[in-house]
Amino acid sequence: MYNLSDWDISDVGQSEEDVLQNGNRLLTGNGYMGRRGVVDEAEAQDMPATILSGLYDHHGDLWREPVNSPDPLYSLIIADNIPVRAGDKYTVFHEQTLNFRYGIYSRHTSWQLPADRGKVTVRTERYAHMENVHLLCTRFTLCADISCQIVLKQGINHAVRDLNGPHLGNFHSWSLQSKRILGLSCKTLEQNIPLAVLSAFVPLFQESEVLNFIIKTDTVNEEGGIFSYHTINLKEKAAVTFYIYGAIYSDIDVKEPVTAAEDQIHQAIKEGWDNLLITHKTRWDKIWHNGDVIIEGDEYAQRCLRYSLYHLWLIAPRHSIATNRALSIPARGLSGQTYKGAVFWDTEMFISPYFLAVMPELAAQFIRYRIQTLPGAKRKAAEYGYRGAFFAWESQETGDDACSDFNVTDVFTGRPVRTYFRDKQIHISADVVYSIKNYFDITRNLLLLKEGALELILESARFFLSYLYYSPEHKRYEVLDVIGPDEYHERVNNNAFTNKMIFAVFETACNYIKIFKESDPEFIDDLINRINFKDDLLFMENVMQHFYIPQPDNRGIIEQFDGYFRLEDCSLDTVRSRLKDPKEYWGSSGGVATATQIIKQADVVTMLTLFNNDYSAEIKKANLDYYEPRTEHGSSLSSCMYALLACETGNSDWAYPFFIKTAEIDITGKSKHFAGLVYIGGTHPAGNGGAWLTAIRGFCGFSIENNKIKIVPRLPEHWKKVSFSVTLSGVEHKITVLKDNYTQEIIS
Ligand code: IFM
């Protein structure tokens, strides 16, 4: 049985830093929206945010980013004419908690009013409904130790802070049911996409019990929002409870967002808090039923891993499965507007494997999202003078690249720094192909390939064919001028990871062509003709004979890129000691790491992990030993790759701290907040996925070989048992891994 306290995290912090971190640590959401863990009365400086998945806007010359919805749950207590806020001088107690089994945020705050006017206490609980994903619910309980008058300012606040906004305009407001329901409609500025936000105040108490229950409503203004003022005369020590429901729809979701939001609110009021909570929790129970991983022998690891999985589910766009607009997962999830709300390779390489194991239909959506953004990828390739599909390094809804040419700001001059992530991280197209191959290996579902995934693979192969360089000197095809996973070294030649990934694209393309030639020749011939791939196919077959993949040297070490070994070989501490400012960017042309062998994140090690079967344990070990001391782990994508590879070399105890570092990244909130002067804070879905990968692929040694589950137990010393589920070709398997053996059971 679940012990609920194992699933809670609490915090009593009230400083500015605490507020910023708790926004991420206490995040709730349901895949449609992510709601930062801020108090009910949060104002712009607290960075309240309700981020809507897949809805973006562009303002002026600033970065295009996700839309932060007006907040329909805003509630401010004005006690005896004093507006009270968590952390102000009247606060005598403040605690916020997240129950991550059910995604319920709660807060408990007391204020001591001046001149012995008593203590006012508020407790609230809120969640983003997991079933009705447009719905937000709050239960509010108020009490005071002496009789006093409370005015509750409640309504829809659109004074939210955007990183690169504003994004909404054209505000219109209305009220229903004697101002108990407030509505606000607006439009995004770039594309005029209508958004409807509703907020309902539902008192549990009888009006007659509370004297002077008065409602006064503000008219909406461009900065504020629309609010009602409910005057409540609190009796001494008698608590009053009320509910606030919020609904949000855009016209991407439905034709009539206002009607849909109103219907949702009426429906919520009719169902009531208790019933809504039941359906919400039931959905979470179903999720944990096969999504959970149970670790025996390590409570801390258990807690961190579950918390990581919680974070994956709260951003999983399950609602898009039933629609024809596939959504994926941004690198900072739905925790804010960092990284422009964009989808990176993080989804394919770090996040998707978990969903592929427990909800393959969602992993299919990530692939569909890439299929839908294929036109954008083709535009990007053409823009740089290449053929085929070059996926966006930072992808939004169209697949056009949101990554700027200047992605970092210099701390000393305040000037933008030219970075080449957009132009040169060409491995992104190969990462997408790699994830399609993974999907096929686990589901054996050819349908998605026919639905556009094979075309995507061929277009990606074509892109790489047009990118290659034939070295007459070496009589081989090389890949010049790229950036591998290690972003501190830009524009390098023959990055081992990139070359290997490209070769895998060619192999995958040939393999699927062969499969279809046997199973559905009409389909494959049509496709090859339609996209004019005949000559490319011949060329690709030839390239594969003469393609260069960097090999281990006599020490067994693979050089990360041409000339890497000639760079200054100094320690991480030496490089760190050269920093003149803690926020200084380590990469780009003048960065402290650029001319050294210090790398940002796993690069060769990622390659060895992904192509595990192609390299011996000795090679893996030699590269781990060489690269780890030279890695800053400046990205949340790094440690888990080291942990995974260490498990492969039979060194799970060495891997363990790297696993913990990955698994605890969001629960501790300790992570990098700046790249240069650019704010990069938020949650780390890739780390969350990396934690699952390490526990399951690493410590349990789980893999699929020839459509069969393979387990090679290599649990850390103190772990006794791990249980988890995997769905393979539509059949759910419950697997329990012990120290030296395992059991596997089919769940009907
Ligand atoms: O995709 C990563 C990249 O590898 C390192 N910088 C941050 C990106 C988003 O997480």
Side-chain angles (χ1 to χ4, degrees), residues 234-386:
L234 273 185
K235 292 184 195 140
E236 184 183 332
K237 294 190 177 138
V240 295
T241 297
F242 51 87
Y243 304 105
I244 296 169
Y245 298 122
I248 304 174
Y249 279 86
S250 81
D251 97 334
I252 298 181
D253 310 318
V254 285
K255 281 214 175 71
E256 300 285 345
V258 170
T259 314
E262 286 184 1
D263 289 350
Q264 176 66 93
I265 284 293
H266 291 305
Q267 184 61 28
I269 296 173
K270 203 165 121 205
E271 280 185 44
W273 172 269
D274 291 345
N275 291 326
L276 289 168
L277 193 58
I278 289 172
T279 47
H280 170 73
K281 285 185 164 182
T282 305
R283 172 51 63 187
W284 270 112
D285 284 337
K286 284 188 186 148
I287 284 173
W288 290 118
H289 177 73
N290 69 337
D292 197 11
V293 174
I294 300 174
I295 302 171
E296 276 184 32
D298 191 340
E299 277 176 30
Y300 185 64
Q302 170 72 86
R303 192 171 158 73
C304 293
L305 181 59
R306 275 191 174 145
Y307 180 81
S308 299
L309 300 180
Y310 162 74
H311 269 277
L312 290 178
W313 284 107
L314 77 87
I315 55 175
R318 292 167 300 121
H319 63 286
S320 87
I321 293 175
T323 70
N324 54 13
R325 182 173 180 253
L327 291 169
S328 190
I329 291 188
R332 286 286 182 263
L334 299 175
S335 62
Q337 293 160 319
T338 292
Y339 285 152
K340 306 153 195 142
V343 178
F344 290 62
W345 70 314
D346 305 32
T347 309
E348 279 75 18
M349 309 306 263
F350 297 80
I351 302 169
S352 171
Y354 171 61
F355 289 111
L356 188 51
V358 300
M359 198 188 221
E361 59 275 33
L362 190 61
Q365 287 304 90
F366 304 152
I367 296 173
R368 288 203 181 92
Y369 163 79
R370 293 297 189 179
I371 296 172
Q372 285 169 13
T373 53
L374 185 59
K378 287 179 162 178
R379 282 193 291 276
K380 180 173 167 188
E383 177 194 333
Y384 286 108
Y386 300 108

Side-chain angles (χ1 to χ4, degrees), residues 331-332 339 344-346 393 485 487 600-601 635 637:
R332 286 286 182 263
Y339 285 152
F344 290 62
W345 70 314
D346 305 32
W393 180 241
E487 292 174 333
K600 178 179 178 184
Q601 64 200 86
S635 158
L637 281 55

Side-chain angles (χ1 to χ4, degrees), residues 303-496:
R303 192 171 158 73
C304 293
L305 181 59
R306 275 191 174 145
Y307 180 81
S308 299
L309 300 180
Y310 162 74
H311 269 277
L312 290 178
W313 284 107
L314 77 87
I315 55 175
R318 292 167 300 121
H319 63 286
S320 87
I321 293 175
T323 70
N324 54 13
R325 182 173 180 253
L327 291 169
S328 190
I329 291 188
R332 286 286 182 263
L334 299 175
S335 62
Q337 293 160 319
T338 292
Y339 285 152
K340 306 153 195 142
V343 178
F344 290 62
W345 70 314
D346 305 32
T347 309
E348 279 75 18
M349 309 306 263
F350 297 80
I351 302 169
S352 171
Y354 171 61
F355 289 111
L356 188 51
V358 300
M359 198 188 221
E361 59 275 33
L362 190 61
Q365 287 304 90
F366 304 152
I367 296 173
R368 288 203 181 92
Y369 163 79
R370 293 297 189 179
I371 296 172
Q372 285 169 13
T373 53
L374 185 59
K378 287 179 162 178
R379 282 193 291 276
K380 180 173 167 188
E383 177 194 333
Y384 286 108
Y386 300 108
R387 301 182 305 123
F390 180 8
F391 280 91
W393 180 241
E394 299 184 7
S395 185
Q396 298 175 335
E397 77 279 46
T398 62
D400 291 294
D401 210 326
C403 186
S404 127
D405 286 345
F406 300 88
N407 237 17
V408 171
T409 306
D410 183 88
V411 278
F412 305 110
T413 60
R415 291 199 187 114
V417 177
R418 178 67 163 110
T419 46
Y420 289 86
F421 307 155
R422 183 189 198 274
D423 325 44
K424 301 296 172 189
Q425 292 218 41
I426 62 167
H427 66 83
I428 178 67
S429 289
D431 305 330
V432 174
V433 173
Y434 184 91
S435 80
I436 297 173
K437 180 181 175 304
N438 257 346
Y439 175 82
F440 177 74
D441 286 350
I442 293 211
T443 62
R444 298 272 138 180
N445 179 356
L446 285 174
L447 226 71
L448 202 57
L449 287 172
K450 291 179 77 170
E451 271 178 39
L454 185 54
E455 181 172 341
L456 180 161
I457 294 172
L458 300 188
E459 291 294 0
S460 299
R462 173 143 56 198
F463 163 62
F464 291 122
L465 290 173
S466 71
Y467 198 95
L468 297 180
Y469 164 76
Y470 183 73
S471 160
E473 190 193 344
H474 295 106
K475 298 195 176 32
R476 66 189 186 196
Y477 288 95
E478 301 189 346
V479 190
L480 307 185
D481 200 7
V482 301
I483 304 180
D486 161 30
E487 292 174 333
Y488 289 164
H489 296 93
E490 302 194 5
R491 311 197 67 164
V492 300
N493 296 339
N494 293 315
N495 166 251

Side-chain angles (χ1 to χ4, degrees), residues 105-287:
Y105 161 95
S106 45
R107 63 90 62 95
H108 174 187
T109 311
S110 298
W111 294 272
Q112 183 68 52
L113 301 180
D116 288 336
R117 279 187 286 164
K119 190 161 90 180
V120 176
T121 296
V122 58
R123 287 170 189 269
T124 65
E125 283 171 275
R126 87 171 168 241
Y127 59 91
H129 202 282
M130 276 309 255
E131 204 68 67
N132 309 325
V133 295
H134 299 273
L135 181 65
L136 287 158
C137 308
T138 300
R139 174 165 62 190
F140 218 102
T141 306
L142 251 182
C143 75
D145 58 2
I146 56 168
S147 301
C148 70
Q149 190 182 72
I150 301 285
V151 173
L152 179 81
K153 178 181 175 187
Q154 187 277 320
I156 307 170
N157 181 23
H158 70 74
V160 289
R161 192 171 113 200
D162 288 310
L163 291 182
N164 296 286
H167 296 299
L168 298 169
N170 218 332
F171 293 99
H172 167 71
S173 70
W174 67 98
S175 66
L176 305 167
Q177 291 197 354
S178 320
K179 299 175 180 168
R180 293 268 174 73
I181 299 179
L182 305 175
L184 182 75
S185 67
C186 48
K187 287 188 177 166
T188 60
L189 299 182
E190 180 193 6
Q191 295 177 358
N192 277 322
I193 298 172
L195 187 68
V197 183
L198 262 88
S199 175
F201 173 80
V202 184
L204 184 65
F205 47 86
Q206 296 291 314
E207 278 175 43
S208 57
E209 285 175 26
V210 181
L211 295 176
N212 293 334
F213 184 77
I214 301 165
I215 305 173
K216 168 175 153 276
T217 308
D218 271 354
T219 47
V220 68
N221 59 54
E222 290 291 315
E223 293 111 49
I226 175 165
F227 305 100
S228 285
Y229 293 79
H230 309 274
T231 304
I232 306 165
N233 276 357
L234 273 185
K235 292 184 195 140
E236 184 183 332
K237 294 190 177 138
V240 295
T241 297
F242 51 87
Y243 304 105
I244 296 169
Y245 298 122
I248 304 174
Y249 279 86
S250 81
D251 97 334
I252 298 181
D253 310 318
V254 285
K255 281 214 175 71
E256 300 285 345
V258 170
T259 314
E262 286 184 1
D263 289 350
Q264 176 66 93
I265 284 293
H266 291 305
Q267 184 61 28
I269 296 173
K270 203 165 121 205
E271 280 185 44
W273 172 269
D274 291 345
N275 291 326
L276 289 168
L277 193 58
I278 289 172
T279 47
H280 170 73
K281 285 185 164 182
T282 305
R283 172 51 63 187
W284 270 112
D285 284 337
K286 284 188 186 148
I287 284 173

